[in-house]
Amino acid sequence: MQLSRPARVALRVAAVLGFTFIYAPLLLVLLNSFNAARGFGWPPSGLTLHWWADAWHSSGARSALWTSVKAGLGATAISLVLGTMIAFAVSRYRFFGREALSFLVVLPIALPGIVTGIALNTAFRTVLEPLGVGLGLFTVVVGHATFCVVVVFNNVVARLRRTSGSFEEAAMDLGADTFQVFRDITFPLVRTAVLAGGLLAFALSFDEIVVTTFTAGPGVQTLPVWIFSNMARPQQAPVVNVVAAVLVAASVVPVYLAQRLSADSASGGRI
């Protein structure tokens, strides 16, 4: 479809305004992390690295960072296993309830976070607490995995739908067993999709706050929760800016790598 020149200009202006609205606040957070003033004053009275040093030596921020990393890795591991297995089941087999299973897997990411958080909190208190398992890091990992599994599932199932099963059938005709087919044929074809899904799952878990609030027990504080709890403390404002800037960077890098993996695999080897 050929657009007129005024339409192209209008679309470009709208795109610039949209990206500015999204990314300008993030740039302000990054700039404020170097602000010499103790607060969110604008414009900055000067630039300094003092707050970055304070953030590095903040035991609360470092502990929250480590908790977020552990929760993200745990949720990603669960999501990789479950998401990949469900993707293979849905793409390679025909069975009763296949479409319903796909819908149930994708549903958690469409639900409001507060609804998911309340439901998980109720389930954990009803089922796990009588067994002696209280709210803590484990429940945070399980809570994050409920929606992280979606991105792994979507990535892998999309790749499988673009990949012909004739290669696997040919390998089995030549005498390869199920494990050999998966190791030598299937996994290399979906490897980048699995890795991209894992990176996206980690990024999604790393900056999640709503579900974490309802599933974390006493003493379990992820980085987003730490930022939220310290925003009301004026003396902590500079350190909060630094930690928020780190959180943005830590979330952007996995998403960028996942996008690169998906783009390279799509352009390089469609079968």
Side-chain angles (χ1 to χ4, degrees):
M1 182 176 63
Q2 191 71 22
L3 294 176
S4 63
R5 180 178 177 82
R8 292 198 301 270
V9 172
L11 286 175
R12 289 170 182 169
V13 171
V16 170
L17 291 176
F19 284 122
T20 301
F21 180 79
I22 294 172
Y23 292 107
L26 300 180
L27 294 176
L28 290 177
V29 169
L30 179 61
L31 185 57
N32 262 327
S33 67
F34 299 100
N35 192 344
R38 182 180 289 275
F40 296 95
W42 186 264
S45 58
L47 300 178
T48 180
L49 292 173
H50 175 70
W51 310 125
W52 285 80
D54 281 359
W56 176 253
H57 293 98
S58 172
S59 58
R62 294 173 68 173
S63 175
L65 173 62
W66 179 232
T67 300
S68 288
V69 171
K70 290 189 290 185
L73 292 176
T76 301
I78 295 174
S79 301
L80 285 173
V81 174
L82 294 181
T84 303
M85 292 175 64
I86 298 172
F88 271 93
V90 169
S91 298
R92 291 291 190 257
Y93 301 96
R94 298 293 182 267
F95 54 90
F96 175 76
R98 186 169 64 97
E99 298 301 328
L101 177 61
S102 299
F103 174 75
L104 291 175
V105 172
V106 177
L107 181 61
I109 204 166
L111 292 175
I114 191 169
V115 173
T116 302
I118 293 173
L120 289 171
N121 182 276
T122 303
F124 291 149
R125 292 186 181 276
T126 303
V127 177
L128 295 183
E129 282 194 354
L131 300 176
V133 181
L135 297 180
L137 181 60
F138 171 74
T139 54
V140 171
V141 170
V142 173
H144 287 191
T146 58
F147 53 82
C148 288
V149 69
V150 179
V151 294
V152 177
F153 170 78
N154 283 340
N155 268 38
V156 178
V157 80
R159 178 62 55 80
L160 288 172
R161 286 171 178 168
R162 299 199 309 267
T163 303
S164 173
S166 59
F167 292 91
E168 299 165 348
E169 295 171 359
M172 288 187 286
D173 289 340
L174 293 173
D177 58 33
T178 303
F179 177 76
Q180 288 176 315
V181 171
F182 179 80
R183 181 192 63 193
D184 299 331
I185 305 297
T186 308
F187 183 70
L189 291 175
V190 301
R191 180 171 49 204
T192 54
V194 172
L195 182 56
L199 290 169
L200 291 174
F202 180 83
L204 194 62
S205 170
F206 194 80
D207 62 3
E208 210 290 322
I209 185 172
V210 179
V211 173
T212 307
T213 303
F214 287 93
T215 56
V220 178
Q221 194 174 52
T222 61
L223 203 58
V225 175
W226 185 90
I227 292 174
F228 183 76
S229 62
N230 282 273
M231 284 190 64
R233 302 177 182 178
Q235 296 301 313
Q236 284 288 87
V239 176
V240 168
N241 282 324
V242 173
V243 175
V246 172
L247 182 63
V248 170
S251 301
V252 167
V253 171
V255 174
Y256 173 77
L257 293 176
Q259 190 272 338
R260 291 290 301 176
L261 283 171
S262 300
D264 291 344
S265 60
S267 62
R270 181 171 295 180
I271 296 177

